[in-house]
Amino acid sequence: MDGQLTAFTAVAAGMVTMPGADFAVVVRNALDSRRAGVATAFGVAGGLLVHTALAVAGLAAVLVAVPTLFGAVQLLGGGYLLYLGARALIAAFRRPAATSDAAADGTPAAEGTPADAGQPAAPLGTARSLRQGFLANALNPKAPVLFLSLLPQFVPAGQPALPRTLLLAAVVVAMALVWFPAVALLVDRLGTWLRRPRVARALQATTGALLTVLGGVLLAEVVLA
């Protein structure tokens, strides 16, 4: 039995399932629809594929060695997370709770209330959801550093590095392909409850705040560096 592979699998499982920007984006889009959530999940896995491929090819070392390039990726990643967080917060706070709750309960809206008040925005398309998941992960500048430092530790002495790192990279991507679609499907399964107006607003606000904080941290690291 390959003890190092087993240990790496456990480390990778903790790394993939740890709540963060990827988790928040998948949950946020899964609230929109099952298709949007699953597409976002596959986008996240695609971003991880890019990071692991860069680590295997050694290109991540270039990113780490060139501070200007690393800072540029941090700016892009932080800005994109702030953008997603702001959109989630706007969606959460501009939906009238009273009107939506009345509609959910089957209670007629008050006279003079616009017919479209409290209605959700247009559903996310598959391509847009896939792109959001991919960019949220691919623009994370800390991922290349993590994989560059982590993968070599699980290459046994005397073994060729390339086949082994390819295997380790495949383990990470495979876990992402299981975990994030599972999260999206669970959110959709609980959709009747999670999409109740007040609950949906709370989730939108929570994921929006999380994305905004994560984006702000990335930008602050660039400014304070």
Side-chain angles (χ1 to χ4, degrees), residues 73 84 99 156 171 185 193 205:
V73 175
L84 292 179
T99 304
V171 168
L185 292 175
W193 181 73

Side-chain angles (χ1 to χ4, degrees), residues 44-198:
V44 170
L48 281 171
L49 180 61
V50 170
H51 287 305
T52 53
L54 287 175
V56 169
L59 296 179
V62 176
L63 180 64
V64 176
V66 182
T68 303
L69 182 59
F70 186 78
V73 175
Q74 274 190 298
L75 285 174
L76 287 172
Y80 189 68
L81 291 182
L82 280 177
Y83 165 75
L84 292 179
R87 287 182 60 90
L89 289 172
I90 291 170
F93 289 108
R94 83 198 242 194
R95 180 182 302 154
T99 304
S100 301
D101 288 341
D105 295 337
T107 305
E111 186 176 352
T113 302
D116 61 348
Q119 293 302 312
L124 290 168
T126 301
R128 183 179 173 190
S129 301
L130 185 70
R131 183 174 66 250
Q132 286 187 355
F134 177 79
L135 291 177
N137 186 277
L139 292 178
N140 179 3
K142 296 188 177 181
V145 181
L146 176 63
F147 286 116
L148 187 64
S149 60
L150 183 65
L151 296 184
Q153 298 182 35
F154 293 91
V155 178
Q159 282 196 15
L162 182 59
R164 181 68 171 193
T165 51
L166 285 172
L167 174 61
L168 298 178
V171 168
V172 174
V173 175
M175 285 189 168
L177 286 171
V178 172
W179 170 249
F180 289 109
V183 170
L185 292 175
L186 177 62
V187 171
D188 181 72
R189 183 75 173 175
L190 299 173
T192 302
W193 181 73
L194 292 178
R195 292 188 182 99
R196 293 175 62 183
R198 292 187 184 279

Side-chain angles (χ1 to χ4, degrees), residues 13-25 27 179-180 183 210-211 214:
M15 184 173 60
V16 169
T17 58
M18 182 180 299
D22 298 333
F23 183 86
V25 172
V27 170
W179 170 249
F180 289 109
V183 170
L210 175 60
L211 290 169
L214 291 172

